[in-house]
Amino acid sequence: ADSVLHRSMVAFMNFSEGMRADSTVRVFFRNGVVSVNSKLGQYLNLQNKKAPTEKNILEHIERNIFATRDRRRLEVPGVQVWMDTSFEENLEHYIDETPRPAVALMLDQNGIKLNPRYTQPLVPEAKAIDTSIIVLGGPKGLRDSNLVTRQGFSVFETRGINIFRISLGNISEFTSVIAAWSQIEHDAGRLCPTVM
């Protein structure tokens, strides 16, 4: 799980000054889910008096995972671990908590080519979308042949959230590259309007 956590969690929530205030990153497993938000960064800043390193972030996340697995009580701010619950149950729970309106983007090499250029939707009557759910496809994420992938798409659809399969190019990139691209486009205000 170390490489998954490193690429998927730290890359999507960290930037040069620390952890992003408006992001929550979740890694779903078949029988559990790990969630991390910026409260962890605030906690580490108080301890270290400087921006947390990737290694420090991972150590605290993994400590919480192992404590939960061993049925020990350990509360690290900004880290939540659920175990012994199914992928579908966890996805349903967190989608129900997601502020609306929202859109889900599955980043997959085989998706539609995306080229963000505008900060306003091309369709004038499109509703403003403030929340984007980034879902990783490809070798480290959900795959077409996987039952979990089909279950995931079904959960999004039944809860009224459109999920679009989009591609950033013809080459399968490292998760850290995908994270950097999506954060840059989101910060520039181009990600959601392009999808709309």
Side-chain angles (χ1 to χ4, degrees):
D2 185 38
S3 62
V4 174
L5 290 172
H6 173 79
R7 293 293 180 187
S8 298
M9 302 196 87
V10 179
F12 270 100
M13 47 188 339
N14 237 17
F15 71 128
S16 61
E17 296 177 20
M19 297 177 79
R20 291 175 175 272
D22 60 347
S23 294
T24 298
V25 178
R26 305 188 204 283
V27 174
F28 289 85
F29 300 94
R30 288 189 180 275
N31 63 341
V33 60
V34 180
S35 303
V36 182
N37 61 40
S38 60
K39 289 180 182 177
L40 173 61
Q42 295 165 8
Y43 169 73
L44 295 176
N45 284 340
L46 288 174
Q47 285 192 326
N48 302 323
K49 307 300 182 185
K50 58 183 180 180
T53 63
E54 291 185 357
K55 181 181 178 183
N56 201 4
I57 293 170
L58 281 173
E59 285 174 351
H60 281 77
I61 294 171
E62 290 178 343
R63 196 176 302 158
N64 210 327
I65 291 172
F66 296 143
T68 304
R69 181 197 63 189
D70 300 335
R71 303 293 192 265
R72 291 183 286 111
R73 185 174 179 80
L74 175 65
E75 293 187 6
V76 176
V79 180
Q80 183 184 49
V81 180
W82 281 12
M83 288 189 176
D84 303 323
T85 50
S86 73
F87 167 80
E88 198 166 8
E89 288 174 312
N90 289 326
L91 190 58
E92 288 173 353
H93 171 79
Y94 286 113
I95 288 179
D96 287 342
E97 282 192 346
T98 300
R100 303 298 203 274
V103 64
L105 311 176
M106 182 174 178
L107 306 183
D108 191 290
Q109 186 179 341
N110 299 317
I112 296 171
K113 298 295 184 289
L114 190 70
N115 186 17
R117 293 183 181 179
Y118 308 102
T119 57
Q120 297 295 324
L122 294 178
V123 181
E125 62 271 17
K127 294 181 180 178
I129 295 177
D130 297 322
T131 304
S132 58
I133 303 169
I134 306 294
V135 181
L136 286 181
K140 291 187 179 178
L142 299 179
R143 302 185 188 192
D144 288 336
S145 59
N146 199 323
L147 172 63
V148 170
T149 305
R150 294 195 294 273
Q151 290 173 335
F153 271 75
S154 175
V155 171
F156 279 106
E157 290 167 2
T158 57
R159 277 155 173 75
I161 294 181
N162 291 321
I163 181 165
F164 300 98
R165 189 191 302 264
I166 61 172
S167 171
L168 308 183
N170 297 322
I171 299 173
S172 184
E173 302 285 359
F174 280 121
T175 310
S176 53
V177 174
I178 295 171
W181 176 89
S182 61
Q183 296 289 23
I184 288 170
E185 296 303 328
H186 180 271
D187 292 346
R190 293 188 293 257
L191 188 58
C192 286
T194 299
V195 177
M196 288 156 40

